[in-house]
Amino acid sequence: MKTVLTGKKILFGITGSIAVYKAAEWVRELTKAEAQVTVVMTEAATRFVSSLTIAALSGRRVYTGMFEPDAGEEMTHISLARESDLFIIAPATAQSIAKLAYGFADDLLSTLVLANHAKVLVFPAMNSSMYCHAATKANLTRLQEYGYGVIEPEQGKLACGDEGIGRLVDWERARESILSAFADQDFAEQTILITAGPTWESFDPARHMSNRSSGKMGYSLARVAKRRGARVILVSGPSAIEPPPGVEIINIVSAQQMHDAVMEHYSSADIVVMAAAVSDYRPGKTMEQKIKKGGKSIDLELVPNPDILKKLGQKKKRAEQALLVGFAAESRHHIEEGQRKLKEKNLDLIVINDIIGKDTGFGADTNRVSLIDRDYQLEKLPLLSKEECADMILDKIVKLLQ
Ligand code: C5P
């Protein structure tokens, strides 16, 4: 399947840190995603992992020296730099960061950085004292001033035995930074509040009622909005999915808790997307002790939960509020139901999905949705991955914001 990375020319600079083995994995992942990855290693990097290993992973020649014979007429550094769509430096050592900050060009990698016109992403990795040293901090600030993206390393146990900041980020975080470098930053000024997942409504300490929502659609929206530059607040019901990097997550359990979290944060949001499958009802009473088996039928009273989205829609009638997007999970009369909810909840956009269709709805990695906007314009989207679907919903939101 074609992705954003397909056919992209990526220059990948590797410098000498123990984290080289992690960068080798990134080279493999990018190559698997059909990016064309050309690796340049410093002399020190080749002491940790051989250039042969990296060449096997990228399927391409690896460059290590300034004066290697070149296939073309031009100097290696000029031709490699001219061709790239993105320049990644990972792991970036204190030494290589210092060299880049001061514009040194004494090896192939540093020379290429100067000759390059593409976006540069620097992923530092080093001992935490080295990372926290004022010299390294000042050098990283210089790189940011040049317009380079600097991805802060993680906290944790370091190869030298110390505990602290300095660990090369994991692939998941790196992948998001790379995809973000290729994405339009059209949500850079926006705060988006997204709800996701199911809610759990408890009968007693052991039992609850819920629904089959996995949270995949809401989490995909959060991930893609973050990639496109938004500040993302994700209010999530219980879900097995890892929150996307850089997203502010608020974990809740019940519809009432989701209501409270949304009410607390919606005023700072420019856009609210309610992708959660909120339980419409909850038990009238939650027992403090587990209900015992008695062989007889029991009656359980269910009372309605607050309709969070409807409440936001009513507030929007009275004052200027965030753009409101709702979801309608339907098993029949999809469009009619969508139109009714759009009007009833005073929304700007409703996303209708078919929960019993093949490849769509709860738990699936794909979705086929229809969008109806506030002018009742209907748009039917094809079967897409949930991330692609999220991108198209965000494209529509951009149009509605204009
Ligand atoms: O009315 P219905 O539940 O079908 O509407 C679905 C939309 O309303 C979804 O966007 C859902 O997140 C939201 N909703 C809500 N509060 C509820 C129930 C649904 O905000 N109690």
Side-chain angles (χ1 to χ4, degrees):
M1 197 162 65
K2 198 167 177 293
T3 70
V4 176
L5 294 172
T6 309
K8 287 287 185 312
K9 291 185 175 138
I10 297 178
L11 255 181
F12 198 123
I14 303 183
T15 73
S17 143
I18 181 63
V20 170
Y21 76 94
K22 285 195 191 170
E25 183 71 23
W26 300 8
V27 169
R28 194 177 80 98
E29 291 289 350
L30 289 167
T31 307
K32 246 172 45 187
E34 293 178 13
Q36 186 183 301
V37 188
T38 305
V39 178
V40 180
M41 298 176 81
T42 61
E43 212 275 318
T46 61
R47 303 286 181 106
F48 290 94
V49 172
S50 126
S51 60
L52 263 179
T53 308
I54 304 292
L57 295 173
S58 68
R60 299 172 63 77
R61 172 178 165 189
V62 170
Y63 294 82
T64 51
M66 275 277 243
F67 306 105
E68 290 172 15
D70 195 11
E73 301 260 288
E74 288 181 282
M75 298 279 293
T76 307
H77 59 278
I78 303 295
S79 55
L80 286 177
R82 188 173 283 160
E83 284 168 7
S84 72
D85 297 312
L86 180 69
F87 201 146
I88 294 169
I89 300 160
T93 56
Q95 159 74 4
S96 59
I97 288 166
K99 271 169 56 167
L100 300 188
Y102 285 89
F104 277 72
D106 62 349
D107 62 10
L108 182 61
L109 180 53
S110 53
T111 308
L112 277 172
V113 175
L114 289 185
N116 159 74
H117 295 290
K119 170 111 188 152
V120 181
L121 294 183
V122 179
F123 295 85
M126 66 198 75
N127 162 276
S128 53
S129 302
M130 293 170 79
Y131 183 72
C132 294
H133 195 286
T136 308
K137 289 267 175 257
N139 289 338
L140 287 170
T141 304
R142 282 183 88 113
L143 296 190
Q144 280 165 328
E145 284 164 7
Y146 301 156
Y148 299 178
V150 174
I151 292 81
E152 179 160 280
E154 285 172 355
Q155 296 275 348
K157 189 111 182 128
L158 303 169
C160 57
D162 284 2
E163 187 96 28
I165 192 162
R167 241 172 44 174
L168 184 66
V169 294
D170 62 16
W171 167 241
E172 171 70 6
R173 177 82 178 74
R175 178 176 176 268
E176 285 309 315
S177 310
I178 294 164
L179 291 176
S180 187
F182 286 119
D184 281 344
Q185 297 299 294
D186 47 359
F187 281 82
E189 306 294 318
Q190 313 284 348
T191 296
I192 178 162
L193 173 67
I194 299 173
T195 66
T199 62
W200 286 3
E201 312 298 329
S202 297
F203 295 108
D204 69 18
R207 306 177 181 99
H208 63 255
M209 65 174 198
S210 186
N211 57 66
R212 290 170 50 213
S213 168
S214 63
K216 278 183 188 164
M217 192 62 236
Y219 277 61
S220 296
L221 276 158
R223 179 181 295 275
V224 171
K226 179 74 202 161
R227 232 177 249 167
R228 289 168 69 159
R231 174 187 169 212
V232 181
I233 305 169
L234 177 63
V235 179
S236 174
S239 168
I241 311 171
E242 276 290 308
V247 159
E248 297 162 43
I249 178 115
I250 302 170
N251 290 303
I252 56 86
V253 176
S254 66
Q256 186 60 47
Q257 289 170 354
M258 181 170 278
H259 168 272
D260 297 349
V262 170
M263 291 307 152
E264 190 184 330
H265 290 94
Y266 87 93
S267 57
S268 61
D270 304 292
I271 304 148
V272 176
V273 182
M274 289 279 312
V278 188
S279 297
D280 292 324
Y281 292 92
R282 67 175 183 275
K285 236 192 330 201
T286 306
M287 301 306 206
E288 271 180 37
Q289 305 299 331
K290 194 176 160 202
I291 303 167
K292 287 288 172 199
K293 163 163 70 192
K296 281 188 278 174
S297 314
I298 50 170
D299 291 326
L300 286 167
E301 186 204 9
L302 296 178
V303 298
N305 271 324
D307 189 323
I308 308 163
L309 191 53
K310 195 167 174 182
K311 201 163 159 183
L312 293 182
Q314 281 161 356
K315 283 177 184 287
K316 193 158 71 90
K317 281 186 188 152
R318 295 193 291 272
E320 187 78 353
Q321 295 284 345
L323 188 124
L324 282 189
V325 182
F327 271 68
E330 305 297 339
S331 55
R332 60 179 182 160
H333 308 315
H334 304 78
I335 304 301
E336 295 79 352
E337 281 301 300
Q339 284 168 336
R340 183 180 65 74
K341 286 177 192 175
L342 179 84
K343 184 157 186 267
E344 194 181 289
K345 302 195 189 204
N346 190 28
L347 307 179
D348 296 286
L349 180 68
I350 192 147
V351 182
I352 308 159
N353 63 335
D354 178 1
I355 54 167
I356 55 172
K358 196 172 166 283
D359 304 324
T360 62
F362 297 138
D365 288 324
T366 49
N367 210 355
R368 185 186 288 113
V369 302
S370 299
L371 310 179
I372 306 178
D373 69 17
R374 57 190 171 220
D375 299 322
Y376 291 92
Q377 291 292 324
L378 170 70
E379 194 178 337
K380 290 187 173 180
L381 303 184
L383 186 70
L384 298 165
S385 74
K386 284 190 172 166
E387 277 195 13
E388 289 170 319
C389 193
D391 251 324
M392 299 205 62
I393 294 168
L394 292 177
D395 288 348
K396 182 73 188 181
I397 291 174
V398 169
K399 282 191 198 138
L400 291 171
L401 283 171
Q402 280 159 4

